[in-house]
């Protein structure tokens, strides 16, 4: 079995997920994991599928045939196997929206060797202040030798610098 990571983008409309799922299923594939969303009128997502080795080429061709409906890019996937189980942390960010928040938080995590497993964010109108609020949820994996207290201290220092609230759920 081969693991494929599909990135998909298209103008949002009914039937996109069904068309993608039909192509995967028609080639003996299994839909393993996905993150799909409509953003600014565009449907976008990442889908992990497994497919028999001898059907990869046929599935890739079928997915290329969806162009016009969906632009699908196929990437070979790998199975993540860690010799030592990494630590997972959850981070919530809330504050006035301004450029650089994601850059700054990801830089701190990168300095500690963290890998971002998921990041969801949204900027929306602030009901009381008239400005815009930025909110994000991040799940990151720290290497086993990382010091969660040091990560927390660095993120708290950053929060004070960029004027956002950062909440951490540490192991």
């Amino acid at each position: 079995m081969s693991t494929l990571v599909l990135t998909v983008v298209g103008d949002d409309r009914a039937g996109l997920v069904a068309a993608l799922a039909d192509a995967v299923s028609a080639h003996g594939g299994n839909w393993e994991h996905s993150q799909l969303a409509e953003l600014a009128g565009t449907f976008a997502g990442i889908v992990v599928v497994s497919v028999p080795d001898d059907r990869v080429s046929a599935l890739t061709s079928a997915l290329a045939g969806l162009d016009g409906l969906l632009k699908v890019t196929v990437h070979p996937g790998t199975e993540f196997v860690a010799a030592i189980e990494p630590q997972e942390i959850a981070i919530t960010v809330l504050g006035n929206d301004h450029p650089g928040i994601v850059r700054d938080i990801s830089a701190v995590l990168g300095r500690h060797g963290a890998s971002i497993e998921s990041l969801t964010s949204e900027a929306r109108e602030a009901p009381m202040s008239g400005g815009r609020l930025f909110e994000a949820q991040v799940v990151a994996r720290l290497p086993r030798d990382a010091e969660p207290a040091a990560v927390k201290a660095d993120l708290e220092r950053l929060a004070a610098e960029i004027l956002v609230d950062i909440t951490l759920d540490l192991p």
Side-chain angles (χ1 to χ4, degrees), residues 91-162:
I91 304 163
T92 302
V93 180
L94 181 64
N96 290 326
D97 188 30
H98 61 275
I101 296 172
V102 173
R103 178 201 60 218
D104 294 342
I105 291 169
S106 61
V108 168
L109 293 173
R111 283 194 299 275
H112 289 277
S115 175
I116 295 176
E117 191 136 317
S118 68
L119 184 151
T120 57
S121 66
E122 176 183 30
R124 63 180 183 278
E125 296 303 317
M128 302 299 260
S129 68
R132 291 185 56 80
L133 284 177
F134 176 82
E135 184 172 7
Q137 290 77 38
V138 180
V139 176
R141 278 181 289 161
L142 295 176
R144 182 52 65 191
D145 61 349
E147 293 292 330
V151 175
K152 180 178 181 179
D154 284 353
L155 286 170
E156 287 173 345
R157 198 169 14 262
L158 174 66
E161 288 174 20
I162 64 173

Side-chain angles (χ1 to χ4, degrees), residues 8-23 41-44 62-72:
V8 300
V9 177
D11 293 334
D12 191 35
R13 60 181 165 203
L16 297 178
V17 174
L20 186 59
D22 286 347
T42 299
F43 175 78
L63 293 171
L66 294 177
D67 204 16
L69 182 65
L70 274 176
K71 169 78 171 135
V72 181

